[in-house]
């Protein structure tokens, strides 16, 4: 379940339980996230207002996960809870910046 993130490709690294996962907010990933979570601008606004739910965070990360074969969505959520939201917030910020600014 490990992967090296490539910042040149807009990827962010998510470190969970000793494993490094690469998240890439590609067009396909963001379209899938938007279909589930609603408009991306609303998602960004909820995050900025501190109103992004854990379910929203896990869904966004799941859709952006480069290697979804490595773990289930439930396992991703459990790992995020185990490390705490403070540790994953910088990764969330990086993904949201990619959504707003592009590559």
């Amino acid at each position: 379940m490990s992967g090296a993130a490539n910042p040149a490709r807009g990827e962010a690294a998510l470190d969970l339980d000793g494993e490094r996962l690469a998240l890439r907010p590609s067009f396909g990933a963001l379209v899938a996230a938007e279909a589930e979570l609603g408009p991306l601008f609303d998602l960004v606004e909820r995050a900025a207002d501190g109103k992004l739910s854990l379910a929203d965070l896990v869904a966004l990360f799941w859709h952006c996960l480069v290697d979804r074969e490595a773990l289930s969505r439930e396992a991703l959520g459990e790992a995020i809870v185990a490390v705490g939201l403070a540790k994953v917030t910088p990764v969330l910020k990086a993904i949201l910046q990619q959504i707003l600014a592009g590559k």
Side-chain angles (χ1 to χ4, degrees), residues 46-99:
R46 287 196 310 269
D49 292 341
K51 296 180 180 177
L52 192 68
S53 71
L54 178 60
D56 289 343
L57 174 83
V58 172
L60 179 62
F61 282 11
W62 172 253
H63 288 294
C64 292
L65 190 61
V66 172
D67 182 10
R68 281 195 266 162
E69 308 263 330
L71 75 167
S72 70
R73 185 169 173 163
E74 182 177 345
L76 175 63
E78 291 292 335
I80 288 170
V81 169
V83 300
L85 293 177
K87 185 166 181 179
V88 301
T89 297
V91 178
L92 174 62
K93 287 181 181 179
I95 297 294
L96 295 176
Q97 286 175 340
Q98 284 295 324
I99 290 171

Side-chain angles (χ1 to χ4, degrees), residues 2-53:
S2 62
N6 182 349
R9 295 180 71 181
E11 295 175 354
L14 177 63
D15 293 318
L16 296 176
D17 195 28
E19 297 291 333
R20 177 163 278 194
L21 306 174
L23 302 177
R24 182 185 318 130
S26 66
F27 176 75
L30 295 178
V31 167
E34 190 171 53
E36 179 177 343
L37 302 170
L40 293 176
F41 283 111
D42 291 348
L43 181 75
V44 171
E45 285 181 1
R46 287 196 310 269
D49 292 341
K51 296 180 180 177
L52 192 68
S53 71

